[in-house]
Amino acid sequence: MTKKTQKNQSAHGLKPDCLSFGEVLAQSFAVIAPTTIPASNIGLIVALSGNGAWLSFLIGLMGLVFVSININQFASRSASAGSLYSYIVKGLGPTAGVICGWSLVLAYLFTAMAVLCGFANFTGTFIGHLGIHPSPITLLAIGAGVAWYAGYKDIQLSAMAMLWLEGASVAAIALLGIIIWAHKGFALDMSQLTLEGVTPGSIATGLVLVMFGFSGFESATSLGDEAKKPLKNIPRAVMGSAVMAGLFFILMTYIEVLGFSGTGVSITNSEEPLTFLAQQVGMGWLGELVAFGALFSFFACVLGSINPAARVFFMMARHGLFHSSLGVAHSSNRTPHVAVTMCTFMTFLVPAVMSLFHIKLFDCMGYLGAICSYGFLTVYILISIAAPVYLHKIGKLRLRDVVFSAVAIAFMMIPIAGSVGIPGSTMFPVPEAPYDAFPYLFLMYLVASCGWFVLQRRRYPELVGSMEQGIDAIHAKFEEENAIYGGVRLKAVSIDNHGFD
């Protein structure tokens, strides 16, 4: 291979060293899609957590900060397209890695499906004011088709689109939020601050959808082949996206719940809460602008979810876990085009079938979002277990690393407990149907995927060795750089050095 080819192609055939820190951060921000929560989904969370919705977001943020620390134990030492799948194989072995891989693809795909429903629902409502009423399936197809083109064509095109679309939307919502709060005289809402009518169970149940709100903050780890200075920029993007999105969610949740007080309208029944509040403060035009921006944010999230899902499929296929065609990169675009196409089709298919059964798009968004949360929770728990095990293997384990791991796991168990509930308990009641069935459906999915892996191991004894060899090669690639620059890089992400450099 010539030097020119090496510069234009990573070890896996993807486009190397092409994404700046801002573009890497945009990947995580796009999957979080901070615009979509205040613009559309907040009512679903308030319906579960009530006046404690802001606290559910705060607890979620605290937990994910600790999860980020555990992720960055790996991300500061190696990077690849395999995201957390590669890390967990390295820390806990192939079986745990496969559980992570299957959980990740479900999580990213169901996030894409949920947000595609949001895109179609929001688009239908928005253009309905113009007298245009396309079918839900038409809108689903348009959203999926445009996302497929961007993901298939160029990762830089995807990243730049996500960066500008999400940034503009967040800025518009923040401005509107300040205006709404000013209209209320910057009042302190004591019903929220004193958690009036809130139970621990409602906080925990709301955390399930809060996890959906935060989901994907780690997706920058899937850009290991394509990011510039990946060992520095990816850890910063992981931690930075979680913190910035969390603070934004807490503030906007408080403002919107306060804004709806005294209006006679329930936020839990509003599919466009910011549009309604903008009209209440005489800024209807800004509400329409935010709604228009939310359309692009929904789209950016669909694209941002398809990208990491395709890259996890891509890496698992290269390790022999899926058909080899999914592990092929496009010769000129240098994207995992087959995996992107398959993920896009699946993203469209499930919501389209649900629509055919006359399930409302808004309800589809809630159902699919709840299910995807279990995939992320599983992965976050696994990475928090894997981090201290991995550090012990390389002789870097400290007491605080064990504490960070334990605290992260404890935080992630809260929404799991809330989603299952305790029969007969008033503090942790069993969720209403169909949410009560979702944890068990996800458990069945994991059992089936593990059973499939066991069969694969028996049919192909060399499979595990191939996986471990591939992951070891990724980590070995960075060992020399770690030895030379490790102190500088670890300083960039260490919480002992007062934040980021």
Side-chain angles (χ1 to χ4, degrees), residues 120-185:
N121 184 60
F122 228 69
T123 302
T125 302
F126 188 76
I127 66 176
H129 299 313
L130 305 176
I132 304 172
H133 302 284
S135 69
I137 291 181
T138 299
L139 295 173
L140 290 170
I142 291 172
V146 177
W148 168 82
Y149 177 79
Y152 178 95
K153 189 66 178 176
D154 188 350
I155 186 61
Q156 279 185 288
L157 171 65
S158 300
M160 288 302 296
M162 293 184 295
L163 178 63
W164 287 105
L165 293 176
E166 198 61 45
S169 297
V170 168
I173 288 178
L175 174 61
L176 179 56
I178 292 172
I179 293 172
I180 294 169
W181 198 8
H183 185 74
K184 289 285 186 176

Short mmCIF file of all heavy atoms in Angstrom, two decimals, residues 120-185:
data_model
loop_
_atom_site.label_atom_id
_atom_site.label_comp_id
_atom_site.label_asym_id
_atom_site.label_seq_id
_atom_site.Cartn_x
_atom_site.Cartn_y
_atom_site.Cartn_z
N ALA A 120 -41.57 12.82 11.72
CA ALA A 120 -42.78 12.72 10.90
C ALA A 120 -43.96 13.40 11.57
O ALA A 120 -44.75 14.10 10.92
CB ALA A 120 -43.10 11.24 10.62
N ASN A 121 -44.08 13.22 12.89
CA ASN A 121 -45.19 13.83 13.62
C ASN A 121 -45.09 15.35 13.61
O ASN A 121 -46.07 16.06 13.35
CB ASN A 121 -45.17 13.31 15.07
CG ASN A 121 -46.35 13.82 15.88
OD1 ASN A 121 -47.51 13.57 15.55
ND2 ASN A 121 -46.07 14.56 16.94
N PHE A 122 -43.88 15.85 13.87
CA PHE A 122 -43.67 17.28 13.92
C PHE A 122 -43.85 17.90 12.53
O PHE A 122 -44.44 18.97 12.38
CB PHE A 122 -42.26 17.57 14.46
CG PHE A 122 -42.24 18.62 15.53
CD1 PHE A 122 -42.79 18.37 16.77
CD2 PHE A 122 -41.66 19.85 15.29
CE1 PHE A 122 -42.76 19.34 17.76
CE2 PHE A 122 -41.62 20.82 16.27
CZ PHE A 122 -42.17 20.57 17.52
N THR A 123 -43.32 17.21 11.52
CA THR A 123 -43.44 17.72 10.16
C THR A 123 -44.91 17.78 9.73
O THR A 123 -45.36 18.76 9.13
CB THR A 123 -42.66 16.84 9.17
OG1 THR A 123 -41.29 16.80 9.58
CG2 THR A 123 -42.73 17.40 7.76
N GLY A 124 -45.65 16.70 10.05
CA GLY A 124 -47.06 16.65 9.70
C GLY A 124 -47.85 17.79 10.32
O GLY A 124 -48.69 18.42 9.68
N THR A 125 -47.55 18.07 11.61
CA THR A 125 -48.24 19.15 12.31
C THR A 125 -47.85 20.51 11.73
O THR A 125 -48.70 21.39 11.52
CB THR A 125 -47.91 19.11 13.81
OG1 THR A 125 -48.29 17.85 14.34
CG2 THR A 125 -48.63 20.22 14.56
N PHE A 126 -46.56 20.66 11.44
CA PHE A 126 -46.04 21.95 10.97
C PHE A 126 -46.60 22.31 9.60
O PHE A 126 -47.11 23.43 9.40
CB PHE A 126 -44.51 21.88 10.93
CG PHE A 126 -43.85 23.20 10.66
CD1 PHE A 126 -43.75 24.16 11.65
CD2 PHE A 126 -43.33 23.49 9.40
CE1 PHE A 126 -43.13 25.38 11.40
CE2 PHE A 126 -42.72 24.70 9.14
CZ PHE A 126 -42.61 25.66 10.15
N ILE A 127 -46.53 21.38 8.66
CA ILE A 127 -47.01 21.70 7.32
C ILE A 127 -48.53 21.57 7.21
O ILE A 127 -49.13 22.03 6.22
CB ILE A 127 -46.33 20.83 6.24
CG1 ILE A 127 -46.71 19.35 6.40
CG2 ILE A 127 -44.82 20.99 6.29
CD1 ILE A 127 -46.14 18.47 5.31
N GLY A 128 -49.14 20.96 8.24
CA GLY A 128 -50.60 20.89 8.26
C GLY A 128 -51.22 22.27 8.32
O GLY A 128 -52.34 22.48 7.83
N HIS A 129 -50.49 23.22 8.95
CA HIS A 129 -50.99 24.61 8.99
C HIS A 129 -51.08 25.21 7.60
O HIS A 129 -51.79 26.20 7.38
CB HIS A 129 -50.06 25.47 9.85
CG HIS A 129 -49.96 25.01 11.27
ND1 HIS A 129 -51.06 24.68 12.03
CD2 HIS A 129 -48.87 24.82 12.09
CE1 HIS A 129 -50.68 24.31 13.25
NE2 HIS A 129 -49.35 24.39 13.31
N LEU A 130 -50.33 24.62 6.65
CA LEU A 130 -50.34 25.12 5.28
C LEU A 130 -51.37 24.39 4.41
O LEU A 130 -51.46 24.63 3.22
CB LEU A 130 -48.95 24.96 4.66
CG LEU A 130 -47.78 25.60 5.42
CD1 LEU A 130 -46.46 25.27 4.74
CD2 LEU A 130 -47.98 27.11 5.52
N GLY A 131 -52.12 23.49 5.05
CA GLY A 131 -53.12 22.72 4.30
C GLY A 131 -52.56 21.52 3.58
O GLY A 131 -53.24 20.93 2.73
N ILE A 132 -51.33 21.12 3.92
CA ILE A 132 -50.70 19.95 3.31
C ILE A 132 -50.74 18.81 4.31
O ILE A 132 -50.27 18.97 5.45
CB ILE A 132 -49.24 20.26 2.90
CG1 ILE A 132 -49.19 21.47 1.97
CG2 ILE A 132 -48.58 19.06 2.26
CD1 ILE A 132 -47.79 21.97 1.68
N HIS A 133 -51.26 17.65 3.90
CA HIS A 133 -51.45 16.55 4.84
C HIS A 133 -50.95 15.23 4.23
O HIS A 133 -51.75 14.36 3.85
CB HIS A 133 -52.93 16.43 5.23
CG HIS A 133 -53.49 17.67 5.84
ND1 HIS A 133 -53.23 18.03 7.16
CD2 HIS A 133 -54.28 18.65 5.32
CE1 HIS A 133 -53.85 19.17 7.42
NE2 HIS A 133 -54.50 19.56 6.33
N PRO A 134 -49.64 15.06 4.12
CA PRO A 134 -49.11 13.79 3.61
C PRO A 134 -49.32 12.67 4.63
O PRO A 134 -49.50 12.92 5.83
CB PRO A 134 -47.62 14.08 3.41
CG PRO A 134 -47.32 15.17 4.38
CD PRO A 134 -48.57 16.00 4.47
N SER A 135 -49.25 11.43 4.17
CA SER A 135 -49.43 10.28 5.07
C SER A 135 -48.20 10.14 5.96
O SER A 135 -47.09 10.56 5.60
CB SER A 135 -49.62 9.00 4.25
OG SER A 135 -48.41 8.65 3.59
N PRO A 136 -48.36 9.55 7.16
CA PRO A 136 -47.22 9.33 8.04
C PRO A 136 -46.10 8.53 7.37
O PRO A 136 -44.91 8.83 7.56
CB PRO A 136 -47.82 8.56 9.22
CG PRO A 136 -49.25 8.98 9.25
CD PRO A 136 -49.63 9.14 7.80
N ILE A 137 -46.46 7.52 6.58
CA ILE A 137 -45.44 6.68 5.94
C ILE A 137 -44.63 7.50 4.94
O ILE A 137 -43.41 7.31 4.80
CB ILE A 137 -46.09 5.46 5.28
CG1 ILE A 137 -46.64 4.52 6.35
CG2 ILE A 137 -45.09 4.72 4.38
CD1 ILE A 137 -47.29 3.26 5.82
N THR A 138 -45.27 8.44 4.24
CA THR A 138 -44.54 9.30 3.31
C THR A 138 -43.50 10.14 4.05
O THR A 138 -42.35 10.24 3.62
CB THR A 138 -45.51 10.23 2.57
OG1 THR A 138 -46.45 9.45 1.82
CG2 THR A 138 -44.77 11.15 1.63
N LEU A 139 -43.90 10.70 5.19
CA LEU A 139 -42.97 11.52 5.96
C LEU A 139 -41.85 10.68 6.56
O LEU A 139 -40.69 11.11 6.62
CB LEU A 139 -43.74 12.25 7.07
CG LEU A 139 -44.78 13.27 6.59
CD1 LEU A 139 -45.59 13.79 7.76
CD2 LEU A 139 -44.10 14.42 5.86
N LEU A 140 -42.18 9.46 7.00
CA LEU A 140 -41.15 8.56 7.52
C LEU A 140 -40.13 8.23 6.43
O LEU A 140 -38.92 8.20 6.67
CB LEU A 140 -41.80 7.27 8.04
CG LEU A 140 -42.64 7.37 9.32
CD1 LEU A 140 -43.40 6.08 9.55
CD2 LEU A 140 -41.77 7.69 10.53
N ALA A 141 -40.64 7.99 5.22
CA ALA A 141 -39.75 7.64 4.10
C ALA A 141 -38.85 8.81 3.72
O ALA A 141 -37.66 8.62 3.43
CB ALA A 141 -40.59 7.21 2.90
N ILE A 142 -39.38 10.03 3.75
CA ILE A 142 -38.57 11.20 3.40
C ILE A 142 -37.44 11.39 4.42
O ILE A 142 -36.28 11.58 4.07
CB ILE A 142 -39.45 12.46 3.33
CG1 ILE A 142 -40.41 12.37 2.13
CG2 ILE A 142 -38.59 13.72 3.25
CD1 ILE A 142 -41.45 13.48 2.09
N GLY A 143 -37.79 11.32 5.70
CA GLY A 143 -36.78 11.49 6.75
C GLY A 143 -35.70 10.44 6.68
O GLY A 143 -34.50 10.74 6.76
N ALA A 144 -36.11 9.18 6.50
CA ALA A 144 -35.13 8.08 6.43
C ALA A 144 -34.28 8.19 5.17
O ALA A 144 -33.07 7.94 5.21
CB ALA A 144 -35.86 6.74 6.47
N GLY A 145 -34.90 8.58 4.06
CA GLY A 145 -34.17 8.65 2.80
C GLY A 145 -33.08 9.71 2.81
O GLY A 145 -31.95 9.46 2.35
N VAL A 146 -33.39 10.90 3.34
CA VAL A 146 -32.38 11.96 3.38
C VAL A 146 -31.26 11.59 4.35
O VAL A 146 -30.08 11.82 4.08
CB VAL A 146 -33.03 13.30 3.79
CG1 VAL A 146 -31.98 14.39 3.91
CG2 VAL A 146 -34.09 13.70 2.76
N ALA A 147 -31.61 10.97 5.49
CA ALA A 147 -30.59 10.54 6.45
C ALA A 147 -29.69 9.48 5.82
O ALA A 147 -28.46 9.48 6.03
CB ALA A 147 -31.25 9.99 7.71
N TRP A 148 -30.28 8.56 5.05
CA TRP A 148 -29.48 7.52 4.39
C TRP A 148 -28.46 8.16 3.44
O TRP A 148 -27.29 7.77 3.44
CB TRP A 148 -30.38 6.58 3.59
CG TRP A 148 -29.58 5.70 2.68
CD1 TRP A 148 -28.94 4.54 3.00
CD2 TRP A 148 -29.31 5.92 1.28
NE1 TRP A 148 -28.28 4.03 1.92
CE2 TRP A 148 -28.48 4.85 0.84
CE3 TRP A 148 -29.67 6.91 0.37
CZ2 TRP A 148 -28.03 4.76 -0.47
CZ3 TRP A 148 -29.22 6.82 -0.93
CH2 TRP A 148 -28.41 5.75 -1.35
N TYR A 149 -28.88 9.14 2.68
CA TYR A 149 -27.97 9.74 1.71
C TYR A 149 -26.77 10.38 2.41
O TYR A 149 -25.63 10.21 1.99
CB TYR A 149 -28.70 10.79 0.86
CG TYR A 149 -27.77 11.50 -0.12
CD1 TYR A 149 -27.40 10.89 -1.31
CD2 TYR A 149 -27.26 12.76 0.18
CE1 TYR A 149 -26.53 11.52 -2.19
CE2 TYR A 149 -26.40 13.40 -0.69
CZ TYR A 149 -26.03 12.77 -1.88
OH TYR A 149 -25.17 13.40 -2.74
N ALA A 150 -27.05 11.13 3.50
CA ALA A 150 -25.95 11.81 4.20
C ALA A 150 -25.02 10.80 4.84
O ALA A 150 -23.79 10.95 4.78
CB ALA A 150 -26.51 12.75 5.25
N GLY A 151 -25.57 9.74 5.45
CA GLY A 151 -24.73 8.73 6.08
C GLY A 151 -23.96 7.89 5.07
O GLY A 151 -22.83 7.46 5.34
N TYR A 152 -24.55 7.65 3.93
CA TYR A 152 -23.92 6.85 2.88
C TYR A 152 -22.81 7.63 2.18
O TYR A 152 -21.76 7.08 1.84
CB TYR A 152 -24.99 6.47 1.85
CG TYR A 152 -24.51 5.68 0.65
CD1 TYR A 152 -24.60 4.28 0.64
CD2 TYR A 152 -24.01 6.31 -0.49
CE1 TYR A 152 -24.19 3.55 -0.46
CE2 TYR A 152 -23.59 5.58 -1.58
CZ TYR A 152 -23.69 4.20 -1.57
OH TYR A 152 -23.27 3.48 -2.67
N LYS A 153 -23.02 8.94 2.03
CA LYS A 153 -22.15 9.73 1.16
C LYS A 153 -20.85 10.15 1.84
O LYS A 153 -19.76 9.94 1.29
CB LYS A 153 -22.92 10.98 0.70
CG LYS A 153 -22.19 11.79 -0.38
CD LYS A 153 -22.09 11.02 -1.68
CE LYS A 153 -21.41 11.83 -2.78
NZ LYS A 153 -21.22 11.05 -4.01
N ASP A 154 -20.95 10.78 3.03
CA ASP A 154 -19.73 11.39 3.59
C ASP A 154 -19.94 11.68 5.07
O ASP A 154 -20.88 12.38 5.44
CB ASP A 154 -19.44 12.70 2.84
CG ASP A 154 -18.08 13.31 3.21
OD1 ASP A 154 -17.46 12.82 4.17
OD2 ASP A 154 -17.67 14.26 2.54
N ILE A 155 -19.05 11.17 5.93
CA ILE A 155 -19.17 11.40 7.36
C ILE A 155 -18.97 12.88 7.69
O ILE A 155 -19.58 13.42 8.61
CB ILE A 155 -18.17 10.52 8.14
CG1 ILE A 155 -18.40 10.67 9.66
CG2 ILE A 155 -16.73 10.87 7.79
CD1 ILE A 155 -19.73 10.24 10.13
N GLN A 156 -18.12 13.58 6.93
CA GLN A 156 -17.94 15.01 7.18
C GLN A 156 -19.21 15.80 6.86
O GLN A 156 -19.58 16.72 7.58
CB GLN A 156 -16.77 15.56 6.37
CG GLN A 156 -15.41 15.31 7.00
CD GLN A 156 -14.29 15.97 6.22
OE1 GLN A 156 -13.94 15.54 5.13
NE2 GLN A 156 -13.72 17.02 6.79
N LEU A 157 -19.88 15.43 5.75
CA LEU A 157 -21.16 16.05 5.42
C LEU A 157 -22.15 15.83 6.56
O LEU A 157 -22.86 16.74 6.99
CB LEU A 157 -21.70 15.46 4.11
CG LEU A 157 -23.14 15.85 3.72
CD1 LEU A 157 -23.23 17.34 3.46
CD2 LEU A 157 -23.57 15.05 2.49
N SER A 158 -22.18 14.60 7.09
CA SER A 158 -23.08 14.28 8.19
C SER A 158 -22.76 15.13 9.41
O SER A 158 -23.65 15.71 10.04
CB SER A 158 -22.94 12.79 8.56
OG SER A 158 -23.27 11.97 7.46
N ALA A 159 -21.47 15.20 9.76
CA ALA A 159 -21.08 15.90 10.97
C ALA A 159 -21.36 17.40 10.88
O ALA A 159 -21.86 18.01 11.84
CB ALA A 159 -19.59 15.65 11.25
N MET A 160 -21.03 18.01 9.75
CA MET A 160 -21.26 19.44 9.60
C MET A 160 -22.75 19.76 9.64
O MET A 160 -23.17 20.76 10.25
CB MET A 160 -20.65 19.93 8.29
CG MET A 160 -19.13 19.98 8.29
SD MET A 160 -18.49 21.06 9.60
CE MET A 160 -19.13 22.65 9.07
N ALA A 161 -23.56 18.91 9.00
CA ALA A 161 -25.00 19.14 9.02
C ALA A 161 -25.53 19.06 10.44
O ALA A 161 -26.32 19.92 10.88
CB ALA A 161 -25.70 18.10 8.14
N MET A 162 -25.08 18.05 11.20
CA MET A 162 -25.55 17.89 12.57
C MET A 162 -25.11 19.06 13.44
O MET A 162 -25.86 19.54 14.30
CB MET A 162 -25.05 16.57 13.14
CG MET A 162 -25.66 15.34 12.48
SD MET A 162 -25.16 13.77 13.22
CE MET A 162 -23.41 13.72 12.88
N LEU A 163 -23.88 19.52 13.24
CA LEU A 163 -23.33 20.60 14.06
C LEU A 163 -24.15 21.88 13.91
O LEU A 163 -24.58 22.49 14.91
CB LEU A 163 -21.87 20.85 13.67
CG LEU A 163 -21.14 21.98 14.40
CD1 LEU A 163 -21.04 21.68 15.88
CD2 LEU A 163 -19.75 22.19 13.80
N TRP A 164 -24.40 22.29 12.69
CA TRP A 164 -25.10 23.55 12.46
C TRP A 164 -26.59 23.45 12.77
O TRP A 164 -27.18 24.39 13.34
CB TRP A 164 -24.89 24.00 11.01
CG TRP A 164 -23.51 24.51 10.78
CD1 TRP A 164 -22.49 23.88 10.12
CD2 TRP A 164 -22.96 25.74 11.25
NE1 TRP A 164 -21.34 24.64 10.13
CE2 TRP A 164 -21.60 25.80 10.82
CE3 TRP A 164 -23.47 26.81 11.98
CZ2 TRP A 164 -20.77 26.87 11.10
CZ3 TRP A 164 -22.64 27.89 12.27
CH2 TRP A 164 -21.31 27.91 11.83
N LEU A 165 -27.21 22.33 12.41
CA LEU A 165 -28.64 22.19 12.66
C LEU A 165 -28.95 22.19 14.15
O LEU A 165 -29.85 22.90 14.61
CB LEU A 165 -29.15 20.88 12.02
CG LEU A 165 -29.13 20.81 10.49
CD1 LEU A 165 -29.58 19.43 10.02
CD2 LEU A 165 -30.01 21.89 9.88
N GLU A 166 -28.19 21.41 14.92
CA GLU A 166 -28.47 21.32 16.34
C GLU A 166 -28.08 22.59 17.07
O GLU A 166 -28.79 23.07 17.96
CB GLU A 166 -27.72 20.12 16.94
CG GLU A 166 -28.26 19.68 18.30
CD GLU A 166 -29.71 19.24 18.22
OE1 GLU A 166 -30.07 18.50 17.29
OE2 GLU A 166 -30.48 19.65 19.10
N GLY A 167 -26.95 23.20 16.68
CA GLY A 167 -26.51 24.41 17.34
C GLY A 167 -27.50 25.55 17.18
O GLY A 167 -27.81 26.26 18.16
N ALA A 168 -28.02 25.73 15.98
CA ALA A 168 -28.99 26.80 15.75
C ALA A 168 -30.29 26.56 16.52
O ALA A 168 -30.88 27.48 17.09
CB ALA A 168 -29.29 26.91 14.25
N SER A 169 -30.72 25.31 16.58
CA SER A 169 -31.97 24.98 17.28
C SER A 169 -31.84 25.22 18.78
O SER A 169 -32.75 25.78 19.41
CB SER A 169 -32.34 23.52 17.01
OG SER A 169 -32.60 23.30 15.65
N VAL A 170 -30.72 24.79 19.36
CA VAL A 170 -30.51 24.97 20.80
C VAL A 170 -30.48 26.47 21.15
O VAL A 170 -31.05 26.90 22.16
CB VAL A 170 -29.21 24.28 21.24
CG1 VAL A 170 -28.81 24.71 22.66
CG2 VAL A 170 -29.37 22.76 21.20
N ALA A 171 -29.82 27.27 20.32
CA ALA A 171 -29.75 28.70 20.57
C ALA A 171 -31.14 29.35 20.55
O ALA A 171 -31.46 30.18 21.42
CB ALA A 171 -28.85 29.37 19.52
N ALA A 172 -31.97 28.95 19.60
CA ALA A 172 -33.32 29.52 19.51
C ALA A 172 -34.17 29.12 20.71
O ALA A 172 -34.92 29.94 21.26
CB ALA A 172 -33.99 29.05 18.21
N ILE A 173 -34.04 27.87 21.15
CA ILE A 173 -34.82 27.40 22.30
C ILE A 173 -34.37 28.10 23.58
O ILE A 173 -35.18 28.48 24.44
CB ILE A 173 -34.72 25.87 22.44
CG1 ILE A 173 -35.53 25.21 21.33
CG2 ILE A 173 -35.21 25.39 23.80
CD1 ILE A 173 -35.46 23.71 21.33
N ALA A 174 -33.05 28.26 23.74
CA ALA A 174 -32.54 28.95 24.93
C ALA A 174 -33.07 30.38 25.00
O ALA A 174 -33.47 30.86 26.07
CB ALA A 174 -31.02 28.94 24.91
N LEU A 175 -33.09 31.06 23.85
CA LEU A 175 -33.63 32.43 23.81
C LEU A 175 -35.10 32.45 24.20
O LEU A 175 -35.52 33.27 25.02
CB LEU A 175 -33.44 33.01 22.41
CG LEU A 175 -34.06 34.39 22.16
CD1 LEU A 175 -33.47 35.44 23.10
CD2 LEU A 175 -33.88 34.81 20.69
N LEU A 176 -35.87 31.52 23.64
CA LEU A 176 -37.30 31.46 23.96
C LEU A 176 -37.51 31.12 25.44
O LEU A 176 -38.40 31.68 26.10
CB LEU A 176 -38.00 30.43 23.08
CG LEU A 176 -39.50 30.23 23.32
CD1 LEU A 176 -40.26 31.54 23.18
CD2 LEU A 176 -40.06 29.18 22.35
N GLY A 177 -36.68 30.22 25.97
CA GLY A 177 -36.80 29.85 27.38
C GLY A 177 -36.59 31.04 28.30
O GLY A 177 -37.33 31.23 29.28
N ILE A 178 -35.60 31.86 27.99
CA ILE A 178 -35.33 33.06 28.80
C ILE A 178 -36.53 34.02 28.74
O ILE A 178 -36.93 34.61 29.75
CB ILE A 178 -34.04 33.76 28.32
CG1 ILE A 178 -32.83 32.87 28.63
CG2 ILE A 178 -33.88 35.12 28.99
CD1 ILE A 178 -31.54 33.37 28.02
N ILE A 179 -37.11 34.16 27.55
CA ILE A 179 -38.27 35.06 27.39
C ILE A 179 -39.46 34.54 28.20
O ILE A 179 -40.17 35.31 28.86
CB ILE A 179 -38.63 35.18 25.90
CG1 ILE A 179 -37.51 35.91 25.15
CG2 ILE A 179 -39.96 35.92 25.73
CD1 ILE A 179 -37.69 35.93 23.64
N ILE A 180 -39.69 33.22 28.17
CA ILE A 180 -40.80 32.63 28.93
C ILE A 180 -40.60 32.84 30.42
O ILE A 180 -41.54 33.22 31.15
CB ILE A 180 -40.93 31.12 28.60
CG1 ILE A 180 -41.34 30.92 27.15
CG2 ILE A 180 -41.92 30.45 29.54
CD1 ILE A 180 -41.21 29.48 26.67
N TRP A 181 -39.40 32.61 30.90
CA TRP A 181 -39.11 32.79 32.32
C TRP A 181 -39.24 34.26 32.71
O TRP A 181 -39.77 34.59 33.79
CB TRP A 181 -37.72 32.27 32.64
CG TRP A 181 -37.48 31.99 34.10
CD1 TRP A 181 -38.41 32.03 35.10
CD2 TRP A 181 -36.25 31.64 34.71
NE1 TRP A 181 -37.83 31.72 36.30
CE2 TRP A 181 -36.50 31.47 36.10
CE3 TRP A 181 -34.96 31.45 34.23
CZ2 TRP A 181 -35.49 31.13 37.01
CZ3 TRP A 181 -33.95 31.10 35.14
CH2 TRP A 181 -34.23 30.94 36.50
N ALA A 182 -38.78 35.16 31.85
CA ALA A 182 -38.91 36.60 32.12
C ALA A 182 -40.37 37.00 32.19
O ALA A 182 -40.78 37.84 33.02
CB ALA A 182 -38.19 37.40 31.03
N HIS A 183 -41.20 36.39 31.35
CA HIS A 183 -42.64 36.68 31.35
C HIS A 183 -43.26 36.28 32.69
O HIS A 183 -44.25 36.88 33.13
CB HIS A 183 -43.32 35.92 30.21
CG HIS A 183 -44.77 36.22 30.06
ND1 HIS A 183 -45.24 37.41 29.54
CD2 HIS A 183 -45.88 35.48 30.36
CE1 HIS A 183 -46.56 37.39 29.51
NE2 HIS A 183 -46.98 36.24 30.01
N LYS A 184 -42.68 35.29 33.34
CA LYS A 184 -43.14 34.85 34.67
C LYS A 184 -42.42 35.60 35.79
O LYS A 184 -42.54 35.24 36.96
CB LYS A 184 -42.90 33.35 34.83
CG LYS A 184 -43.81 32.48 33.99
CD LYS A 184 -45.21 32.41 34.57
CE LYS A 184 -46.08 31.43 33.83
NZ LYS A 184 -47.43 31.29 34.45
N GLY A 185 -41.65 36.62 35.42
CA GLY A 185 -40.92 37.41 36.41
C GLY A 185 -39.77 36.67 37.05
O GLY A 185 -39.39 36.96 38.19
#
